[in-house]
Each structure stands twice: as C-alpha cells, then as structure tokens.
C-alpha cells in the first residue's frame, strides 16, 4: 500500500465538513472543480476500492471479452472455455499496447494484441509471440497477462486494481442482508440508458442520497412516493442509504404507480411497500423496488464530467409475460434522472463561481453528511477510510 498522501486541498476547509451533523458545511468547491483533487481521488478512491464494472451478462459466454474502466487502469474481463470469468490489466506484456480499446467487446478464442500480434489465452497465458519460436531463452510462461482482483456479487462485477481493498464480504457488510432477498443474480437488464452528466461524480452520489430536493424537482416521483417518507439505515460496510415508502395505492415507482406484474419472489410484505436506495462505495447506486432493481453505475470521465449507466433488472419470468414492457419503470426514472442531472450540472457550474461558499446541510441530508464526512476524512488521512472510521 502507498504511504498516505493528503489530498491537495486546504485541510482547514475540509475540517468544516467533519463538524458534527447540524453544524457541518459542505465540502469545499475544490473537491469538485480541481483536476488535482480528481487525480488524487482516482488513485486513492477508485484504485483502492471495489469498483463496479458491469454485470455478468456483459460477458455471458465462453470466449466473451470486454474492456472495462475501474479507474486509471483499464482491465479486460474474459470468460474462458469453461465459463470462468477473470480480469486482467489491459496491457500487453510485450511493449504495453492496450489489448482492447476503450469500451470494446469481442467474442474470440484468444486475445490478440493489435501491435505485434502476441496472442493470449482466455486464462491470460501467453500462447504465441511472433519471431520468438527459435529463441531457446524465451519462455511464454514468463509473460502471462497480469491478473486484477475481481469479485462477482449478485451478478455485479467488481474490480480492485490496487489489491488493497478489504476482503469483499467485509466491504459489503450488512448490504448483503438488504440485497439478498431481491436475488439480483437471477435478474436481467430489460432496459438500459447511458447518460453523460457534466458534473463531478460525487455530486451524483450526494444528489442520490437526499429527497430534500424531491418536492422542488420531482413532481412525478412525489405522486407515488412521499418525499419525506422513510429513513436512512446505520451502515456496516462500505455502503450508505435507506428506504422510502410507496404511497397507498402505488405498487411501484412508475408514472401511474402501477407495476407490470407481481412483486419479486421472496420479498417480505414490508418490501412490497418501500424502495431501498443504497450506494456501494464508490460508484454503484442500487435502487431496490418491489418488482425491479434499478442501478446507476457511475464512471468518472473527468473532474466535472461523469458517465452514468442506468439499468433496470427484472426476473426472466416477468420479461416473458405477455405484454411486458419495462418502460413503465425506465420511462419514469428517465424523467427523474434528467431532472437530477440538470440539478447536478447546475451545482457543478455553481461550484466554479467566485461567489460559491460551502453551505449547511438540512436535517434531511444525513446520508449526504455521511458521504461527505467519509470523503473529507479520507482527504485528510491520505487514504480511503471506511464509514466506521469516519
Ligand atoms: S505491444 Fe503487444 S504485441 Fe507488441
Ligand atoms: Fe432526485
């Protein structure tokens, strides 16, 4: 592990974020607009974390390979002939060419570097290197692809490139118990939208964790869920969040409150009347509905730009039902997402103003406080701290 190095911002400004809830101020603007702080976060937050890079269905078949971006170091996800999935750094062992381009996916029996055609098996072993056949001192076994730490959890794929993140079950902690009954591993994406948001990744997480803005921004959401309902949970692991209730008569989050089928199997009756809004540090937002699971997977693209992949996951039996159309969920949330992105982008612009000053948090922004406190403590410690430590 690297020696801790503080984030490049004024520690006195950060201290104000660490004051007790009710007296704290938001993080300083530099946390959102400084390229240097963003570079620090990429190294200390994203490389040292379990970063979600997608779903097992993104590489479903033996021979499927795909480039993914958990941070500055790109990886290749590869499913071998017997179905085992691995992650490798996306770097050729010859002279460092990338094996796959950004966002590229393929189906092939081997991974061939485009530069000089070194060829790797799907298990990362070097199979051939043109021109070395007669070199007795050259051993392909000396040059396998470098593996990256990977975990699959309920169908989501996580990569930790530094190998310094905690043991995965400890990392998710009590989130496992909240998610398990939804059986996300058996759900499939029936709808997907990709957004490019002109805002720092943290603004998207912070916005997700409060409904203080819902009465102002989300009339459609307030029709089906009281904006001041629910509460946040005490986290034990690298997650935060809580629940909100559905209004009487609403079955789920949709424009009419109607769903498109029964609730997910295995949920207790309480879960039929609420939606859980949870985030797993640093980049996965999980919204667990009675009848579907929605995720936002954030990929920072720069200090003031983020891409967000939003997926709506349903059980196969719902998808196969006659008349099934996921748009009751995806169209609803697309409206809400766009309302949120416009707010995040406005805050990003506000952060750049000379007139910006950190502000206080309302009593309904306790999860935002938890998140900012963790970020602030990490800036000062020079490493990503856990919620328990913060
Ligand atoms: S850099 Fe990949 S084959 Fe040369
Ligand atoms: Fe919102």
């Amino acid at each position: 592990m690297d020696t801790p190095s503080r984030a490049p911002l004024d520690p006195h400004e950060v201290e104000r974020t660490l004051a007790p809830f009710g007296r704290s101020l938001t993080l300083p603007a530099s946390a959102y607009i400084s390229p240097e702080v963003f570079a620090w976060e990429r190294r200390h937050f994203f490389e040292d974390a379990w970063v979600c890079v997608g779903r097992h269905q993104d590489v479903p078949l033996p021979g499927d390979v795909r480039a993914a971006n958990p941070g500055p170091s790109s990886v290749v996800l590869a499913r071998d002939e017997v179905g085992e999935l691995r992650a490798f750094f996306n770097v050729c062992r010859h002279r460092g060419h990338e094996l796959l381009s950004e966002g590229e996916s393929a189906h092939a029996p081997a991974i061939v570097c485009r530069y000089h055609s070194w060829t790797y098996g799907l298990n990362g072993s070097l199979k051939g290197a043109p021109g070395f056949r007669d070199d007795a001192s050259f051993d392909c076994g000396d040059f396998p692809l470098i593996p990256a730490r990977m975990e699959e959890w309920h169908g989501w794929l996580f990569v930790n490139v530094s190998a310094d993140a905690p043991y995965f079950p400890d990392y998710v902690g009590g989130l496992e118990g909240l998610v398990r009954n939804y059986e996300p591993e058996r759900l499939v994406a029936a709808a997907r939208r990709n957004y490019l948001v002109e805002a720092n990744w943290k603004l998207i997480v912070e916005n997700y964790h409060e409904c203080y803005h819902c009465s102002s921004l989300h009339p459609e959401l307030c029709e089906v869920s009281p904006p001041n309902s629910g509460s946040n949970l005490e986290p034990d692991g690298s997650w935060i969040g809580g629940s909100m209730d559905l209004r009487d008569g609403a079955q789920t989050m949709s424009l009419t409150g109607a769903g498109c089928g029964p609730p997910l199997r295995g949920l207790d009756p309480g879960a039929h009347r609420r939606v859980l809004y949870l985030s797993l540090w640093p980049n996965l937002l999980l919204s667990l509905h009675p009848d579907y699971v929605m995720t936002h997977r954030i990929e920072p693209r720069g200090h003031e730009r983020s891409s967000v992949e939003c997926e709506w996951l349903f059980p196969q039996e719902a998808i196969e039902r006659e008349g099934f159309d996921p748009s009751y969920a995806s169209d609803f949330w697309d409206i809400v997402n766009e309302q949120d992105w416009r707010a995040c982008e406005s805050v990003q612009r506000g952060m750049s103003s000379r007139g910006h000053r950190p502000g206080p948090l309302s009593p309904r922004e306790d999860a935002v406080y938890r998140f900012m406190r963790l970020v602030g403590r990490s800036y000062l410690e020079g490493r990503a701290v856990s919620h328990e430590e913060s």
Side-chain angles (χ1 to χ4, degrees):
M1 192 177 288
D2 291 355
T3 40
S5 66
R6 274 190 168 183
L9 29 58
D10 182 345
H12 298 107
E13 290 189 334
V14 177
E15 291 285 356
R16 295 182 299 183
T17 302
L18 306 183
F21 184 49
R23 284 190 274 132
S24 72
L25 294 177
T26 53
L27 288 163
S30 53
Y32 304 90
I33 63 172
S34 155
E36 291 76 25
V37 171
F38 177 66
W40 185 94
E41 289 181 345
R42 294 240 291 172
R43 167 64 197 91
H44 295 274
F45 287 169
F46 283 79
E47 293 203 327
D48 283 350
W50 285 107
V51 175
C52 183
V53 293
R55 291 276 295 170
H56 57 176
Q57 288 141 354
D58 298 338
V59 268
L61 301 173
D64 283 347
V65 295
R66 185 183 185 93
N69 254 322
S73 303
S74 155
V75 297
V76 173
L77 305 172
R79 196 176 290 280
D80 72 12
E81 298 80 358
V82 295
E84 190 172 337
L85 186 61
R86 296 182 181 82
F88 304 102
F89 287 95
N90 187 13
V91 187
C92 180
R93 293 298 306 275
H94 175 221
R95 278 175 45 211
H97 196 282
E98 291 165 310
L99 300 162
L100 296 179
S101 311
E102 185 173 342
E104 185 180 356
S105 56
H107 182 79
I111 303 167
V112 182
C113 178
R114 291 192 175 90
Y115 203 3
H116 314 93
S117 297
W118 281 33
T119 300
Y120 301 89
L122 296 167
N123 63 0
S125 60
L126 178 63
K127 298 284 189 208
F132 282 90
R133 188 178 303 159
D134 300 329
D135 183 345
S137 68
F138 183 82
D139 182 352
C140 282
D142 291 338
F143 302 100
L145 295 180
I146 305 296
R149 211 172 163 210
M150 195 199 78
E151 287 280 348
E152 182 172 338
W153 181 68
H154 292 297
W156 290 289
L157 307 176
F158 297 85
V159 169
N160 165 227
V161 299
S162 73
D164 287 334
Y167 176 54
F168 193 80
D170 294 340
Y171 190 81
V172 293
L175 185 62
E176 169 64 28
L178 294 169
V179 167
R180 185 188 298 128
N181 288 351
Y182 291 83
E183 303 179 287
E185 62 281 0
R186 74 181 196 97
L187 306 183
V188 290
R192 177 183 294 157
R193 305 257 161 99
N194 291 296
Y195 303 94
L196 190 61
V197 186
E198 300 294 335
N200 182 277
W201 69 278
K202 298 190 296 301
L203 291 180
I204 295 170
V205 179
E206 290 160 12
N207 173 78
Y208 178 74
H209 276 304
E210 52 93 357
C211 213
Y212 186 40
H213 69 260
C214 289
S215 340
S216 321
L217 290 195
H218 301 315
E220 296 84 1
L221 182 150
C222 294
E223 284 287 313
V224 286
S225 185
N228 52 3
S229 67
S231 57
N232 286 306
L233 298 159
E234 197 60 38
D236 54 345
S238 295
W239 62 276
I240 50 174
S243 66
M244 283 179 62
D245 301 336
L246 293 166
R247 281 197 196 278
D248 289 345
Q251 297 166 353
T252 192
M253 300 297 280
S254 68
L255 285 170
T256 63
C260 203
L264 297 169
R265 72 180 192 190
L267 296 184
D268 63 62
H272 296 175
R273 304 302 316 143
R274 67 170 178 254
V275 180
L276 284 165
Y277 297 96
L278 308 160
S279 72
L280 183 60
W281 174 268
N283 74 324
L284 180 64
L285 313 181
L286 285 167
S287 306
L288 309 174
H289 297 65
D291 52 341
Y292 63 91
V293 167
M294 174 177 70
T295 57
H296 294 85
R297 190 172 63 80
I298 305 168
E299 273 191 21
R301 296 278 166 184
H303 60 289
E304 46 196 13
R305 174 175 292 178
S306 308
S307 66
V308 182
E309 180 190 71
C310 191
E311 287 191 331
W312 290 267
L313 310 174
F314 292 84
Q316 194 66 42
E317 66 268 19
I319 294 170
E320 288 168 1
R321 208 172 290 137
E322 197 173 336
F324 172 79
D325 182 349
S327 63
Y328 79 96
S330 57
D331 283 0
F332 170 82
W333 279 112
D334 188 45
I335 291 169
V336 177
N337 282 340
E338 291 290 356
Q339 292 162 342
D340 279 325
W341 307 152
R342 299 293 85 77
C344 293
E345 290 175 340
S346 177
V347 173
Q348 183 71 42
R349 292 190 294 274
M351 290 282 179
S352 302
S353 165
R354 281 176 182 271
H356 178 269
R357 304 286 184 277
L361 294 172
S362 84
R364 290 176 54 196
E365 295 171 291
D366 54 316
V368 179
Y369 173 74
R370 273 189 197 279
F371 178 77
M372 287 187 175
R373 187 176 165 83
L374 182 143
V375 170
R377 276 293 307 277
S378 301
Y379 285 163
L380 298 186
E381 294 269 332
R383 63 182 176 90
V385 302
S386 67
H387 283 292
E388 283 91 347
E389 290 176 273
S390 74

